[in-house]
Amino acid sequence: MFADHCTELLLKEELDASTASMSKYWISDLQCKIIDECLQLHGGFGYMDEYPIAQMYADARVQRIYGGANEVMKMLIARTL
Ligand SMILES: Cc1cc2nc3c(=O)[nH]c(=O)nc-3n(C[C@H](O)[C@H](O)[C@H](O)COP(=O)(O)OP(=O)(O)OC[C@H]3O[C@@H](n4cnc5c(N)ncnc54)[C@H](O)[C@@H]3O)c2cc1C
């Protein structure tokens, strides 16, 4: 719902920087938690490059780094509180 709300704001050109930072931080963190659970479900095979879940795990991990690291997002949010 939060992602949908942010998309709606973006389309209306009303998405402010701190809400965008909240979205980037929270959704990419959540993505990593979910993919981690999925990999765990696959057991050892989930870690092997041959399985798509391993690629998803690697792809998810970088989301917390690029586009501004999540720790930096926290700093940007904190400045507006
Ligand atoms: C695949 C990929 C594609 C990219 N594409 C682009 C692109 O197209 N255009 C572009 O401009 N850049 C791009 N980047 C760069 C990306 O934006 C940076 O990697 C990102 O901003 C993090 O900077 P850094 O790698 O220098 O890490 P650093 O800033 O050195 O961060 C290292 C660690 O320190 C933490 N940290 C940093 N500052 C603070 C702080 N103040 N408080 C607490 N912790 C902190 C970070 O959270 C992180 O955990 C890309 C990176 C990757 C990996």
Side-chain angles (χ1 to χ4, degrees), residues 13-62:
E13 297 185 4
E14 290 173 6
L15 182 66
D16 61 78
S18 65
T19 311
S21 296
M22 288 176 200
S23 166
K24 196 275 173 183
Y25 159 53
W26 187 69
I27 294 168
S28 58
D29 246 29
L30 186 63
Q31 179 189 9
C32 283
K33 278 186 199 142
I34 292 168
I35 297 286
D36 186 72
E37 283 287 311
C38 294
L39 192 148
Q40 188 73 17
L41 182 75
H42 283 74
F45 289 121
Y47 178 75
M48 310 298 283
D49 280 345
E50 289 84 353
Y51 287 78
I53 192 70
Q55 186 62 55
M56 287 179 199
Y57 184 83
D59 290 344
R61 188 59 186 84
V62 78

Side-chain angles (χ1 to χ4, degrees), residues 62 65-72 75:
V62 78
I65 296 170
Y66 66 11
N70 283 7
E71 287 71 23
V72 173
M75 225 170 51

